[in-house]
Amino acid sequence: MDQDIQELLSQRQKDRAFELLLQRYQAKIFRLVFSIVGNRPGAEEVTQDAFLKIWQALAGYDGRASLSTWIYTIARNASISHLRSEFYRKTLSLEESPEPFAVTEPVLNRIETERLVANLPEEQREIIVLFYLQERSIEDVAAMLDLPEGTVKSQLHRARKAMAAMMEVKR
Amino acid sequence: MTCQAAQELILESLDGGIDKEQQTRLESHLAQCDVCRSFQEAQRALDGALADHYVAPQLSAAFKSKLSGKIRAEKKRALQEWIPDVLHLGGGIVATGACFLWLPVSPTTVLTVGATLTLGGYVLQTVFRFWLEDLEGL
């Protein structure tokens, strides 16, 4: 899929390769980062940092991992260090709620949905959020998290069952 | 069909769909199983709520120009990092050349001493720079 980018890299056309890569991955990386960071301004900043890191390291990309795996790993690591630095700076105030999502008239309201998701184990939470942000593509989620598709699917099912059970308890 | 199999199919249908034959088997199970019917209702409600809640955000219009600015700054910084090296080696070559032309010492001695001082100075400068970077990183 990224053969064209790798070809440009082998011809030492780093800027053109990066341009193509940015075009292809910016939306996906932003969603991945958003699923971890949880707010839009922070996610955009981290996405920029991740792409800057990718640009810096691009010439040294050795092709051992697929380009997408390599990019997603950089983005995930950038998101995690952002979360850590935010934690240490203690700038996350209680008022800073996650991005207001578009909400229609739901059966479950926004707070209930957030609470259900927040109570899931970390991996399941990440998978369920990414699944919806990535327009239900299990393939994309698996590539982004570097997991087999079967694992993503089974974790997704576990998460759905766990949330349904939590809804049941609430009633 | 067992309830467990039916519930797996319900979850599968939310992931990306099930085929017609599976759909038929599921429907006939649901027609006679209240537990699985309410499981399906709960899962559909949950799925709808999650789909409404997690809408993919869009990058701002300024994203690309900001990133280009950061990359330009990074290119400039990388270029500036070479300046001390270039100045040092250039200075060493010019000084050695001047000594070679004007000092009444054998050319071999001038070249040996010049090269040793230039390279030795370069190593010291590099070590000093790494040391400073370590200090900044603390």
Side-chain angles (χ1 to χ4, degrees), chain B residues 16-70:
Chain B
I18 50 177
D19 61 37
K20 238 178 181 170
E21 187 256 322
Q22 288 173 317
Q23 184 68 37
T24 315
R25 283 196 299 136
L26 177 62
E27 274 166 15
S28 68
H29 177 87
L30 289 174
Q32 47 188 298
C33 180
D34 290 344
V35 175
C36 288
R37 239 191 346 264
S38 69
F39 179 83
Q40 187 185 44
E41 273 167 29
Q43 286 299 340
R44 279 184 175 167
L46 191 58
D47 183 61
L50 288 165
D52 285 342
H53 191 68
Y54 292 107
V55 177
Q58 299 295 315
L59 282 163
S60 74
F63 173 80
K64 212 175 164 188
S65 61
K66 276 189 196 166
L67 179 63
S68 302
K70 283 185 180 177

